Amino acid sequence: LRHEYIGGEVYAMTGASDRHGLIVNALAFALTPAVRKRGCQLFSNDMKVHLHYAGEEAFYYPDLLLACDPDDRAPYYREKPCLIIEVLSKTTERIDRQEKLYAYTAGLASLREYLLVAQDRQHIEIYRRTDTDWTHEIVEREDFHLDCLNLDVLVDSVYEDLEDFEVSSSAP
């Protein structure tokens, strides 16, 4: 049983659907060659991110967490990720879009990109840090670029393992 710790409170985490797992696996598979080339570490589901924001301490379990800082190597959590990805579900979407978006963007100076990935349709939202602010981009058919890895990712590859899901490459 996994728990997240937010501001002194402990919250139980539920399990994920098969669709959720397939998307996380597809993303990990797509990112891994670039991750290894850059000497980074990519974690899916079981590595916590530790942060401080709004006077609170929190530990979250992101779906994917990319850490490239060689000094950020605690055995059970990371504090300086450059990329976090959350696959949305009905039970977590509000938290991922509001609480975690605020916590990650306000509490992690190292974070360059935060992705929200839909599992019911081909839809990826990218929050990207600029020199002065955060931008928001939506991709559905076109491929996208991850600055943190200097990598282009095929949107179709994120969704191709979902049997009952039509991706743009297989559309008539």
Side-chain angles (χ1 to χ4, degrees):
L1 185 62
R2 294 185 317 160
H3 294 83
E4 289 185 330
Y5 175 84
I6 300 107
E9 299 290 326
V10 177
Y11 299 91
M13 305 269 309
T14 61
S17 70
D18 57 346
R19 297 171 73 80
H20 184 280
L22 290 168
I23 292 169
V24 169
N25 288 345
L27 282 161
F29 182 77
L31 302 182
T32 295
V35 168
R36 289 178 175 159
K37 182 186 274 187
R38 293 184 56 106
C40 298
Q41 295 178 330
L42 180 66
F43 299 95
S44 59
N45 301 312
D46 291 326
M47 180 57 72
K48 293 181 289 288
V49 62
H50 177 224
L51 60 121
H52 297 271
Y53 71 99
E56 299 288 345
E57 178 182 36
F59 286 90
Y60 291 109
Y61 282 100
D63 291 320
L64 285 162
L65 178 152
L66 178 67
C68 294
D69 186 329
D71 296 325
D72 188 22
R73 297 291 190 257
Y76 299 105
Y77 60 86
R78 294 294 181 264
E79 294 181 310
K80 300 175 185 175
C82 64
L83 170 67
I84 292 178
I85 301 175
E86 297 285 5
V87 177
L88 300 174
S89 68
K90 290 179 183 176
T91 58
T92 65
E93 184 169 2
R94 183 192 60 76
I95 293 167
D96 293 338
R97 287 187 178 286
Q98 296 173 9
E99 178 184 316
K100 288 185 179 181
L101 172 63
Y102 173 73
Y104 293 157
T105 57
L108 295 169
S110 62
L111 190 67
R112 295 177 62 189
E113 291 153 323
Y114 177 51
L115 275 63
L116 297 173
V117 181
Q119 59 177 305
D120 60 342
R121 62 190 169 118
Q122 193 164 298
H123 183 91
I124 299 171
E125 296 181 48
I126 304 169
Y127 291 87
R128 194 179 318 271
R129 185 185 301 272
T130 67
D131 290 337
T132 58
D133 204 0
W134 286 85
T135 62
H136 179 240
E137 174 185 354
I138 295 174
V139 294
E140 293 179 335
R141 299 288 182 209
E142 65 276 7
D143 301 333
F144 60 96
H145 186 79
L146 292 176
D147 293 340
C148 193
L149 289 171
N150 192 25
L151 176 70
D152 292 322
V153 179
L154 306 175
V155 172
D156 287 351
S157 70
V158 173
Y159 295 98
E160 76 179 306
D161 294 325
L162 302 181
E163 293 175 4
D164 63 338
F165 194 82
E166 187 174 289
V167 295
S168 63
S169 62
S170 60

